[in-house]
Amino acid sequence: MESEIKLAHTDSTDSTKNREIEPVNLCDFFYITFCGKMTDLEQQHINQISFNIIACAMKVHNVLGPGLLESVYEKAMMIELRKAGFQAQNQQKVDIIYDGQPLGLDLRLDIIVNDLVIVELKSVDEFKAVHQKQLFTYLKLCDKPLGLLINFNVNDIRNGIKRVAYKMR
């Protein structure tokens, strides 16, 4: 059975912005402050989830290395995430509703973990601005607090991870 997320377009004057943390030092990298209202306990919980997702990505990268197709890394990530005890779904269908009407487009999230963190996987030479914009839009439309953009086509996986935070609840 395929699970879905229903999205609705709303006009918003909310000034929340994309907050990206560069992986300069791993301690700083794992802990961020989210936009909007979220308790310290909720932030700690989501930070711990993201820390463990990144550990899974590191394991996959250490075993497979760079240079494979994104679909290979997605399948390997699903194995690692489930072994780590996460409720992870891949290629989750997202129905987009605009002005009360379904657009009928086939938008899919690479991976969503514990219905909180969207993981967007790449296997590219370098990140482009559109990759972060895409993830931020997914977070906003799905009302999820955190996304991880992971590029496996790098020699050191720590240089291939970006966090994008969004919180509108």
Side-chain angles (χ1 to χ4, degrees):
M1 181 174 198
E2 192 173 77
S3 50
E4 298 181 3
I5 294 176
K6 299 239 185 250
L7 305 177
H9 167 75
T10 58
D11 291 328
S12 174
T13 57
D14 187 10
S15 63
T16 20
K17 299 219 186 278
N18 180 352
R19 301 231 12 229
E20 173 196 344
I21 303 299
E22 293 294 328
V24 175
N25 131 0
L26 287 179
C27 291
D28 293 339
F29 180 65
F30 292 126
Y31 296 94
I32 61 173
T33 302
F34 292 89
C35 303
K37 297 177 182 175
M38 184 179 280
T39 67
D40 288 343
L41 189 58
E42 290 170 321
Q43 285 186 29
Q44 289 173 0
H45 176 67
I46 291 170
N47 281 323
Q48 187 61 50
I49 290 171
S50 69
F51 179 88
N52 291 329
I53 293 169
I54 291 168
C56 290
M58 289 177 162
K59 184 170 184 182
V60 167
H61 190 269
N62 286 340
V63 172
L64 297 177
L68 299 173
L69 294 174
E70 180 183 311
S71 58
V72 174
Y73 297 114
E74 182 178 317
K75 288 183 184 275
M77 279 294 293
M78 290 302 295
I79 291 168
E80 286 302 322
L81 290 167
R82 289 184 176 143
K83 279 179 20 184
F86 288 113
Q87 295 175 358
Q89 298 174 344
N90 62 321
Q91 296 303 312
Q92 184 174 8
K93 184 178 177 187
V94 178
D95 290 332
I96 301 174
I97 310 297
Y98 179 81
D99 199 25
Q101 298 180 31
L103 296 181
L105 301 173
D106 195 25
L107 176 65
R108 294 184 180 269
L109 304 175
D110 284 348
I111 299 174
I112 187 159
V113 179
N114 287 11
D115 200 36
L116 287 170
V117 180
I118 296 173
V119 181
E120 186 65 23
L121 304 177
K122 300 292 178 199
S123 184
V124 295
D125 289 333
E126 62 184 32
F127 283 130
K128 303 285 186 199
V130 70
H131 297 139
Q132 288 178 255
K133 289 175 185 176
Q134 176 187 29
L135 179 55
F136 183 72
T137 298
Y138 289 169
L139 293 170
K140 181 179 174 184
L141 292 173
C142 297
D143 190 25
K144 302 301 178 199
L146 182 67
L148 292 172
L149 184 58
I150 303 174
N151 181 16
F152 283 94
N153 196 29
V154 292
N155 289 329
D156 185 345
I157 191 68
R158 293 174 295 180
N159 297 326
I161 301 172
K162 294 197 181 269
R163 290 170 51 116
V164 179
Y166 178 81
K167 184 67 179 168
M168 60 184 266
R169 290 177 218 192

